[in-house]
């Protein structure tokens, strides 16, 4: 933590603050007012922007010029962020991961359901890094990646709007890759953990091209931690037309969150992308049906924090 202490000690005379804020604050005015209406988006943006600023300070104070986020230079801040997030997960959600040993030692595509706010995936990536040291790249929406103030943090933890070709390259280099096929449509308009993948087959095509397995994961009670309001036929129509609708989300409830890692679906050269996508969808639905009581209930999800019948890895 010496780098963090030194950074705070030089805060008042910090010569790079103006440089950083100039690149962030000016376009920020176009984002601040709309975001004030969406509490969890605002909180996530605020902490992500703070993390980006601290990472930027750390980089400048150490005169680090390269943008190689795989280098050991970034290990310390990654470990600090992981410790903070993991502590939050333990205290607020009693977070656990079951069957982590099912994850391959090499490359693979992790698929999951998209809840109203993906706190489950954030906690999972943190637990994965702390326990194994593995870096998992994650495909996110380009609007999120380019939101002012977030880029540095996203780059350090490998959250990017990767293209299909970049995804294949990442897998060929031996890394895990996280993809949420349902995307924002599933986050806003899904009911009671129902998958909304439509005709999305891109992740399956990537898996076949890279010749890697697909690993489904499911987090119990993730839709009880946060809830979305405003799901109407009008808002869904507007979303389909614009892809720019943000529905209000409330929550942050201290419910039990427990992630289950499913059996990997091995690479099979004899099936099509459509068949593989359907197979992956079925595997994820089976994982959901096995571990999630439906319909969801916030009180029951909270009381499950005191249920000790399962133990984490």
């Amino acid at each position: 933590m010496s780098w963090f202490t030194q950074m705070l000690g030089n805060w008042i005379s910090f010569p790079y603050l103006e440089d950083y804020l100039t690149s962030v604050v000016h376009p920020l005015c176009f984002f601040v007012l709309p975001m004030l209406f969406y509490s969890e988006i605002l909180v996530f943006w605020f902490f992500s922007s703070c993390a980006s600023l601290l990472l930027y300070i750390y980089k400048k104070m150490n005169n680090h010029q390269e943008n190689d986020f795989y280098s050991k230079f970034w290990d310390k801040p990654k470990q600090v962020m992981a410790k903070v997030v993991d502590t939050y997960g333990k205290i607020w959600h009693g977070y656990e991961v079951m069957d982590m040993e099912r994850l391959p030692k090499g490359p693979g595509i992790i698929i999951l359901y998209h809840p109203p706010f993906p706190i489950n995936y954030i906690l999972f990536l943190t637990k994965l890094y702390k326990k194994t040291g593995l870096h998992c790249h994650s495909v996110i929406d380009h609007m999120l990646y380019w939101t002012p103030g977030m880029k540095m943090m996203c780059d350090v933890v490998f959250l990017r709007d990767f293209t299909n070709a970049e995804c294949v390259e990442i897998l060929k280099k031996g890394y895990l890759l996280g993809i949420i096929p349902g995307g924002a449509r599933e986050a806003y308009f899904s009911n009671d953990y129902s998958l909304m993948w439509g005709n999305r087959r891109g992740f399956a095509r990537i898996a076949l091209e890279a010749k890697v397995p697909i690993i489904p994961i499911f987090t119990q009670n993730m839709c009880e931690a946060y809830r979305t309001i405003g799901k109407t036929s009008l808002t869904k129509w507007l979303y389909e037309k614009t892809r720019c609708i943000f529905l209000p989300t409330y929550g942050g409830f201290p419910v039990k969150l427990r992630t289950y890692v499913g059996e990997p679906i091995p690479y099979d050269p004899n099936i099509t992308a459509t068949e593989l996508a359907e197979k992956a969808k079925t595997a994820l639905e089976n994982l959901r049906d096995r571990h999630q009581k439906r319909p969801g209930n916030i009180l029951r999800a909270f009381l499950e924090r005191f249920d000790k019948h399962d133990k984490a890895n």
Side-chain angles (χ1 to χ4, degrees), residues 2-25:
S2 58
W3 66 271
F4 185 72
T5 305
Q6 180 187 6
M7 177 183 62
L8 291 180
N10 291 287
W11 176 262
I12 301 300
S13 60
F14 176 58
Y16 311 106
L17 184 60
E18 182 178 358
D19 178 32
Y20 179 82
L21 293 181
T22 298
S23 66
V24 172
V25 173

Side-chain angles (χ1 to χ4, degrees), residues 143-272:
M143 288 183 63
L144 179 61
Y145 179 70
W146 291 105
T147 299
M150 292 187 58
K151 186 175 182 297
M152 175 65 76
M153 189 274 295
C154 288
D155 283 337
V156 170
V157 296
F158 306 111
L159 302 174
R160 285 289 306 270
D161 51 344
F162 298 112
T163 64
N164 285 2
E166 288 173 329
C167 289
V168 173
E169 186 64 24
I170 287 168
L171 292 166
K172 286 185 176 180
K173 289 180 179 178
Y175 295 106
L176 290 169
L177 177 69
I179 299 179
I180 308 180
R185 179 187 292 108
E186 190 171 84
Y188 292 143
F189 302 106
S190 171
N191 290 309
D192 205 26
Y193 300 91
S194 60
L195 302 187
M196 298 182 67
W197 291 7
N199 294 318
R200 294 187 176 182
R201 304 288 184 264
F203 73 95
R205 288 192 291 270
I206 291 170
L208 290 174
E209 184 175 349
K211 301 180 180 179
V212 298
I214 293 176
I215 308 96
I217 68 171
F218 181 84
T219 302
Q220 185 182 33
N221 300 324
M222 54 186 157
C223 290
E224 317 321 317
Y226 291 89
R227 296 283 182 89
T228 299
I229 58 176
K231 293 188 284 187
T232 67
S233 56
L234 175 60
T235 54
K236 191 171 188 302
W237 179 83
L238 288 172
Y239 171 80
E240 298 296 345
K241 294 296 182 181
T242 66
R243 294 294 194 275
C244 291
I245 296 297
F246 294 94
L247 297 184
T249 302
Y250 67 96
F253 302 114
V255 299
K256 178 66 178 182
L257 295 180
R258 183 185 287 121
T259 295
Y260 293 89
V261 179
E263 292 285 353
I265 303 170
Y267 166 69
D268 183 351
N270 299 315
I271 63 174
T272 65

Side-chain angles (χ1 to χ4, degrees), residues 291-310:
H291 300 293
Q292 181 62 51
K293 296 178 181 178
R294 296 193 293 165
N297 182 282
I298 295 174
L299 178 59
R300 182 181 65 220
F302 170 73
L303 294 176
E304 286 177 358
R305 295 194 60 165
F306 308 101
D307 181 1
K308 299 298 182 181
H309 71 282
D310 280 323

